């Protein structure tokens, strides 16, 4: 995969590399300068274009504001004209013709940009029609004026949307635009209508008093709502941190409008309370209308100021970017010219020196007067030239030997095998390759440190060299793997005898230094042998692989032995690899099935728990027992995800039983845990996550650990057990009596139960020593206050004898075979007991 990726990258980059390679230094610097400057210029121009677009948008808003100003004035004049029309002897001398003319002028200049000319025409026609109805009844005139005012307010909203005012990106500008478009015109118009309604009613031309009160209440709701919107908008403008003058003006107008609006509200409440319109003087509404008009005038000026400030800022940014861009371009050209002059000459000298060294002239030196990194390169190059010959020798040595043991390394082994294979094809003798892997070396490394491990490796190398012929090659491949290559072997038995002597030699104790003291450690070796004879062509890699496969077989058969490669071993290895691949898929595809075997209480013969036992429902091989795949899982590391899957499935089943089956509330579930799982950093978090996911009581989960897990790494086991104990999980020591644990370990680790190995139970009634051992185990458990579970109880005689010896819990075929969850309760034939 890596080679393919490099090939693709080389193919993609070849045109650029070819182009750069054809250019001289001056051309390369010019190209680099263009590559750097062009993006800079493009970026700067893009930024300038954005600023200009913002200026255009702001100018468009200014034009809209200009149009809006005339409409606001016209709206105010319409309110005054309506008041004059409905009032008796009240003439405000409003010149609507002049206001219309001002709007017409602005419309001719800018309305084409927003297509509001048609809307203005309709509004203008409505206003002119209203002006021609002076002879009509006052109530009719009031209605027509209302319609014309509504048309102006709708046009203001349309204009604010199409000119972009209402979509202004700045918070303060946006809120002021909303004031001018939505709230101030509406507030001024409604305040005028309130005053006009009062005037019509006083003349006896309005509706009945109840309807007038209802209408006034509706209008005052609009006034109150608009006043709240305006107050919040003024606060938002102040909070935006914009222009101080604008903030002060808006706050001042907001306070004034709030004062008169509150006063009008109080008088209106008084009028409603006394059911008298005389309690509500019309000048209160007039005061609100006047304050609204003043607010609108200030808001227009403030918004125009903010828009102009934005235009000036954008213009200033454009001028600054253009200035910095010009200065940057000039500076870049100047620096690139100086860079070329300071680099080109030293580089040329360095290249000339390298060419001389490549030609074999090691007397050449580079002289550079600069004080930069190139001078450092020249110094390093001069030092490199002086040490090239010595470094070449050292590199040749390191390329073919192992620095720790001084033995040949893998590269030397492959080279020797290639030559030896050619000689075998030309002669009649055998070529033997002995693949040696140390036993229990990891335990030495983990227990006494890597320095002790290095001592062992050097000692093994010396013993190998001592026992070999001068024509044999002894090499170290990696880690604790060694190889012996023996040529001109007359028969297979000779190589086997050599391998057996190696096993005996390496098995002798090796003295190491530990904490200023010396101690002897015993390791061993497993050896696989592969042979090549004339007429049997094979590659060096294949020969090493075959020897490795034979060594693996020696490990599988108990270690400390010698195995010879044949095709059956290759088939076995292939079967193991296929099993590992299938198991990996099985974990991902949920092919693992959990069976459950009951654990019963000795006195009542009732179920107190189950042990979860994994099976594999293989798609082609059928249901597989653990022996068919658990060893592969442990060797490949798949035992960690496999164990997590089994734990989750078992705890989920326990949770279901505890919820759905009466009497199962305190049922326990035992799950086996391997040493690899216990040692893995994800194990404790996995257990905690499963408990939380399945929502079980941690005390109802028991984890069964073998004795070998305790002694493999006592410190790590202690830390893991303490973490599990903190979670509240129970711990049981499985297969007790067959391992290496001691009473000290049992006292140190927080165990709750011991499981007597089935080998002792099976011998009860036939071997008196078995009864003694079982009685001793039960006595130890009783002393340490531990529960005792006897495994493999196959008949009633065994159960009775165990009961007589004091055993408290049984597990075996006599009480129930492992079965799927759905069949478990039918097959067990026992009841449930809460313990």
């Amino acid at each position: 995969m890596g080679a393919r990726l490099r090939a693709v990258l080389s193919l993609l980059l070849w045109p650029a590399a070819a182009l750069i390679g054809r250019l001289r230094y001056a051309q390369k610097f010019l190209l680099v300068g263009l590559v750097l400057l062009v993006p800079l210029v493009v970026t700067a121009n893009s930024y300038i274009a954005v600023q200009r677009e913002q200026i255009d948008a702001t100018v468009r808003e200014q034009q809209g504001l200009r149009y809006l100003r005339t409409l606001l004035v016209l709206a105010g004049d319409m309110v005054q004209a309506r008041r004059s029309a409905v009032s008796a002897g009240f003439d405000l001398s409003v010149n609507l013709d002049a206001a219309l003319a001002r709007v017409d002028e602005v419309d001719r200049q800018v309305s084409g940009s927003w297509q509001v000319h048609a809307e203005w025409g309709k509004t203008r026609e409505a206003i002119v029609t209203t002006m021609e109805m002076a002879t009509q009844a006052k109530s009719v005139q009031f209605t027509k004026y209302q319609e014309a005012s509504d048309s102006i307010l709708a046009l203001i909203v349309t204009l604010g949307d199409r000119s972009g005012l209402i979509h202004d990106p700045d918070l303060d500008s946006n809120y002021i635009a909303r004031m001018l478009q939505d709230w101030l015109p509406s507030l001024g118009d409604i305040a005028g209508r309130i005053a006009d309604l009062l005037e019509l009613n006083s003349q006896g031309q309005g509706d009945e008093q109840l309807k007038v009160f209802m209408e006034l209440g509706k209008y005052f709701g609009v006034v109150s709502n608009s006043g709240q919107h305006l107050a919040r908008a003024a606060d938002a403008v102040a909070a935006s941190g914009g222009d101080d003058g604008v903030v002060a003006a808006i706050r001042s107008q907001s306070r004034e409008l709030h004062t008169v609006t509150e006063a009008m509200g109080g008088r209106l409440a008084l009028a409603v309370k006394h059911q008298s319109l005389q309690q509500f003087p019309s000048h209160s509404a007039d005061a609100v209308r006047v304050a609204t008009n003043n607010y609108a005038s200030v808001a227009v000026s403030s918004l125009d100021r903010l828009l102009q400030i934005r235009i000036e800022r954008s213009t200033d940014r454009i001028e600054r970017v253009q200035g910095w861009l010009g200065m940057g371009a000039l500076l870049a050209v100047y620096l690139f010219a100086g860079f070329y002059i300071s680099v080109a000459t030293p580089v040329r000298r360095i290249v000339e020196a390298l060419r001389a060294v490549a030609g074999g002239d090691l007397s050449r030196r580079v002289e550079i007067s600069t004080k930069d990194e190139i001078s450092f390169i020249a110094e390093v190059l001069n030092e490199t030239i002086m040490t090239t010959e010595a470094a070449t020798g050292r590199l040749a040595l390191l390329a073919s030997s192992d620095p720790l043991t001084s033995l040949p390394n893998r590269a030397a082994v492959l080279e020797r095998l290639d030559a030896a294979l050619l000689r075998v094809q030309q002669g009649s003798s055998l070529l033997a390759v002995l693949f040696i892997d140390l036993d229990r070396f990891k335990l030495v490394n983990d227990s006494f440190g890597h320095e002790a491990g290095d001592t062992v490796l050097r000692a093994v190398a010396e013993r190998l060299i001592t026992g070999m012929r001068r024509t044999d090659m002894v090499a170290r491949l990696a880690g604790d793997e060694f190889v012996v290559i023996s040529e001109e072997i007359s028969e297979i038995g000779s190589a086997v005898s050599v391998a057996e002597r190696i096993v005996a030699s390496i098995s002798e104790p090796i003295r190491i230094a530990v904490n200023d003291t010396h101690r002897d450690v015993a390791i061993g070796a497993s050896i696989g042998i592969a042979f090549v004879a004339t007429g049997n062509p094979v590659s060096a890699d294949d020969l090493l692989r075959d020897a490795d496969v034979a060594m693996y077989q020696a490990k599988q058969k108990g270690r400390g032995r010698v195995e010879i490669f044949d095709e059956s071993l290759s088939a076995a290895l292939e079967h193991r690899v296929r099993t590992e691949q299938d198991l990996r898929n099985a974990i991902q595809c949920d092919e693992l099935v959990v069976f459950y075997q009951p654990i019963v209480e000795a006195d009542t013969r009732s179920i107190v728990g189950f042990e979860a036992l994994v099976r594999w429902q293989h798609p082609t091989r059928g249901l597989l027992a653990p022996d068919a795949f658990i060893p592969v899982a442990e060797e490949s590391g798949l035992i960690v995800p496999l164990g997590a899957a089994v734990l989750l499935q078992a705890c989920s089943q326990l949770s279901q039983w505890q919820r759905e089956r009466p009497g199962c509330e305190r049922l326990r579930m035992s799950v086996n845990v391997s040493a690899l799982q216990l040692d893995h950093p994800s194990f404790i978090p996995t257990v905690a996550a499963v408990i939380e996911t399945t929502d079980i009581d941690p005390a109802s989960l028991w984890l069964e650990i073998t004795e070998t897990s305790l002694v493999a790494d006592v410190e790590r086991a202690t830390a893991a057990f303490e973490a599990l104990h903190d979670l509240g999980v129970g711990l049981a020591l499985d297969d007790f009596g067959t391992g290496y644990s001691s009473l000290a370990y049992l006292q140190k680790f927080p165990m709750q139960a011991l499981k007597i190995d089935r080998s002792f139970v099976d011998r009860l009634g036939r071997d008196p020593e078995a009864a003694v051992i079982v009685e001793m185990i039960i006595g130890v458990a009783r002393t340490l206050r531990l529960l005792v579970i006897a495994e493999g109880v196959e008949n009633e005689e065994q159960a009775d004898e165990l009961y007589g010896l004091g055993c408290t819990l049984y597990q075996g075929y006599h009480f129930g075979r492992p079965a799927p969850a759905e069949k478990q309760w039918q097959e067990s034939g026992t009841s449930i007991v809460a313990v």
Side-chain angles (χ1 to χ4, degrees), residues 694-728:
T694 57
D695 194 27
I696 64 171
D697 182 2
S700 64
L701 172 62
W702 284 40
L703 299 181
E704 297 187 9
I705 296 110
T706 60
E707 293 186 71
T708 54
S709 300
L710 301 180
V711 299
D713 191 329
V714 175
E715 293 184 0
R716 290 188 180 181
T718 301
F721 290 160
E722 289 177 352
L724 292 171
H725 183 71
D726 292 341
L727 288 176

Side-chain angles (χ1 to χ4, degrees), residues 736-737 756-757 759-782 788 801-802 804-807:
F736 185 77
I756 303 174
D757 187 71
S759 62
F760 300 119
V761 176
D762 182 61
R763 288 154 50 195
L764 288 176
R766 296 183 289 106
D767 185 352
E769 292 184 358
V772 174
I773 294 174
V774 170
E775 185 178 14
M776 179 189 67
I777 294 174
I778 294 174
V780 169
R782 186 180 295 113
V788 180
E801 186 165 356
L802 286 167
L805 294 174
C807 185

Side-chain angles (χ1 to χ4, degrees), residues 556 575 579 614-616 621 624-633:
Q556 292 294 100
H575 175 73
T579 300
V614 66
R615 302 290 187 268
W616 178 7
R621 296 163 59 187
L624 301 181
D627 292 344
F629 59 90
I630 290 298
V632 175

Side-chain angles (χ1 to χ4, degrees), residues 513-557:
V514 180
N515 298 329
D516 298 329
T517 62
H518 292 81
R519 62 177 300 172
D520 292 335
V521 295
I523 61 172
S526 299
I527 302 180
I529 308 176
F531 294 95
V532 179
T534 303
N536 184 20
V538 66
S539 69
D541 284 327
D542 290 344
L543 191 58
L544 277 177
R545 182 203 60 198
D546 292 346
D548 188 12
V549 169
M551 181 278 298
Y552 177 79
Q553 182 69 8
K555 291 276 190 184
Q556 292 294 100
K557 289 187 175 181

Side-chain angles (χ1 to χ4, degrees), residues 62 64 77 97 106 118 136 187 195 201 339 347 362 419 435 522 544 553:
Q62 280 189 318
D77 290 346
D97 290 330
V106 175
Q136 298 289 332
L187 181 60
N201 189 75
F339 188 53
V347 168
L362 298 179
F435 198 106
L544 277 177
Q553 182 69 8

Side-chain angles (χ1 to χ4, degrees), residues 430-510:
L430 294 175
L431 169 64
V433 175
L434 285 65
F435 198 106
I436 306 164
D437 188 271
L438 302 184
D439 299 333
R440 299 185 297 278
F441 175 74
K442 184 177 183 300
L443 184 60
V444 174
N445 242 358
D446 295 343
S447 301
F448 305 112
H450 290 285
E451 185 174 349
D454 292 344
T455 300
V456 170
L457 292 175
R458 284 191 289 265
V460 169
E462 292 175 1
R463 294 182 183 184
L464 289 175
I465 294 173
T466 303
M468 295 298 106
R469 300 175 301 174
R470 296 182 62 182
T471 56
D472 295 335
M473 181 181 193
V474 179
R476 180 189 178 206
L477 288 184
D480 60 343
E481 295 176 345
F482 295 84
V483 166
V484 174
I485 300 175
S486 290
E487 298 185 61
E488 299 181 357
I489 300 295
S490 58
E491 59 180 1
I492 294 177
S494 300
V496 173
S497 298
V498 171
E500 290 174 346
R501 288 201 304 270
I502 292 175
V503 171
S505 174
I506 294 177
S507 299
E508 293 292 329
I510 299 173

Side-chain angles (χ1 to χ4, degrees), residues 62-78 96 98-111 114 116 120 127 152 155-156 159 180 296 300:
Q62 280 189 318
Q63 294 174 345
L65 183 62
R66 179 183 173 194
Y67 202 147
L68 183 62
R69 185 196 301 266
T70 60
L71 291 177
L72 290 172
V73 173
L74 177 60
D77 290 346
M78 283 294 296
L96 289 178
L100 291 173
R102 287 192 295 271
V103 178
D104 288 337
E105 177 66 21
V106 175
D107 181 72
R108 282 193 298 271
Q109 295 175 1
V110 299
S111 69
W114 310 307
V116 296
W120 164 240
I127 295 173
I152 296 174
L155 180 57
I156 289 174
L159 178 63
L180 295 173
V300 168

Side-chain angles (χ1 to χ4, degrees), residues 237-501:
V237 171
S240 67
D243 185 81
D244 293 340
V246 170
V247 172
I250 294 296
R251 277 199 175 280
S252 174
Q253 293 300 319
S254 177
R255 288 193 295 269
E256 180 179 345
L257 181 61
H258 178 73
T259 299
V260 297
T261 303
E262 286 289 319
M264 185 178 72
R267 293 189 177 98
L268 181 59
L270 188 63
V272 172
K273 178 180 179 180
H274 295 286
Q275 294 291 304
S276 172
L277 291 175
Q278 295 179 355
Q279 297 290 335
F280 185 78
S282 61
H283 65 78
S284 293
D286 288 335
V288 172
R289 177 177 55 79
V290 171
T292 301
N293 292 338
N294 293 338
Y295 202 158
S297 177
V298 170
V300 168
S301 300
S302 299
L303 181 56
D304 185 63
R305 174 181 173 84
L306 293 176
L307 295 177
Q308 186 60 37
I309 290 174
R310 186 190 303 162
I311 292 175
E312 293 171 356
R313 288 176 178 172
S314 296
T315 303
D316 181 61
R317 292 191 190 105
I318 291 174
E319 292 174 352
R320 278 187 289 160
V321 169
Q322 289 174 335
W324 283 111
L325 180 62
M327 293 176 60
L330 292 175
L331 180 62
V333 172
Y334 179 78
L335 291 178
F336 270 108
F339 188 53
Y340 171 74
I341 294 172
S342 64
V343 171
T345 300
V347 168
R348 189 179 299 112
R349 292 177 182 173
I350 291 174
V351 171
E352 292 173 353
L354 289 174
R355 287 174 178 169
V357 171
D361 184 7
L362 298 179
S363 64
R364 191 67 174 266
R365 299 292 183 270
V366 181
E367 295 182 2
I368 295 177
S369 58
T370 61
K371 303 298 183 183
D372 55 13
E373 286 80 357
I374 294 181
S375 64
F376 174 74
I377 293 174
E379 293 177 5
V380 173
L381 178 59
N382 290 333
E383 294 175 0
T384 303
I385 294 173
M386 289 186 295
T387 58
T388 297
E389 186 174 6
T392 301
R394 288 195 298 272
L395 288 174
L397 179 62
L398 291 174
S400 60
S401 66
D402 170 50
L404 177 64
T405 61
S406 298
L407 294 177
N409 60 12
R410 185 182 186 88
V413 167
L414 294 175
E415 183 179 354
R416 172 69 178 268
L417 280 178
D418 287 335
L421 288 170
L422 289 176
R423 288 191 289 270
V424 166
Q425 300 307 321
Q426 298 170 359
S428 59
S429 59
L430 294 175
L431 169 64
V433 175
L434 285 65
F435 198 106
I436 306 164
D437 188 271
L438 302 184
D439 299 333
R440 299 185 297 278
F441 175 74
K442 184 177 183 300
L443 184 60
V444 174
N445 242 358
D446 295 343
S447 301
F448 305 112
H450 290 285
E451 185 174 349
D454 292 344
T455 300
V456 170
L457 292 175
R458 284 191 289 265
V460 169
E462 292 175 1
R463 294 182 183 184
L464 289 175
I465 294 173
T466 303
M468 295 298 106
R469 300 175 301 174
R470 296 182 62 182
T471 56
D472 295 335
M473 181 181 193
V474 179
R476 180 189 178 206
L477 288 184
D480 60 343
E481 295 176 345
F482 295 84
V483 166
V484 174
I485 300 175
S486 290
E487 298 185 61
E488 299 181 357
I489 300 295
S490 58
E491 59 180 1
I492 294 177
S494 300
V496 173
S497 298
V498 171
E500 290 174 346
R501 288 201 304 270

